[in-house]
Amino acid sequence: MKNERGFTLIEMMIVLLIISILMLIALPSMTKNNSLVKSLGCEATIDLVQGQVGAYEAEKNKLPTIKELFDDKYIDTTTCPDKKPLVIDSEGIVSVSSE
């Protein structure tokens, strides 16, 4: 007769307990960093759009609006990742709309 060994119920319960404890430690830090990621994503989007404002201005010799940048395919979004709309002021500076 072969002596086949497998995991016992106790061993499986210990492994599940360890995984549960690790998840309890990891999940709160992940959700806490979610807001930081969104704000950094918005900053990156603003920097990207600001660069495209410069490219548009160099090609067309005028400051664009967000709609012109989007319509001419310079950008593919007019909002930050958190869905706040972007605006370009009269000096060509990109920012988040206060609306």
Side-chain angles (χ1 to χ4, degrees):
M1 193 169 180
K2 294 182 184 177
N3 187 9
E4 293 184 28
R5 294 192 47 110
F7 291 109
T8 65
L9 182 59
I10 297 294
E11 290 170 332
M12 290 299 288
M13 288 177 62
I14 290 172
V15 168
L16 289 174
L17 177 68
I18 291 170
I19 291 172
S20 298
I21 290 171
L22 290 174
M23 292 297 288
L24 285 172
I25 292 170
L27 285 178
S29 65
M30 285 183 202
T31 57
K32 190 171 28 172
N33 291 333
N34 197 18
S35 63
L36 176 65
V37 168
K38 283 185 181 179
S39 70
L40 290 177
C42 191
E43 289 176 24
T45 303
I46 289 171
D47 288 343
L48 175 89
V49 173
Q50 189 67 58
Q52 296 300 16
V53 167
Y56 186 96
E57 187 176 16
E59 287 182 19
K60 311 243 177 167
N61 293 323
K62 70 173 194 149
L63 285 174
T65 64
I66 287 288
K67 183 172 177 7
E68 289 172 332
L69 285 177
F70 185 76
D71 290 345
D72 291 346
K73 307 249 187 280
Y74 281 83
I75 57 174
D76 59 357
T77 184
T78 60
T79 61
C80 280
D82 58 1
K83 304 298 181 207
K84 292 181 182 174
L86 297 174
V87 293
I88 301 172
D89 67 12
S90 61
E91 296 176 4
I93 306 297
V94 179
S95 62
V96 177
S97 175
S98 59
E99 295 177 4

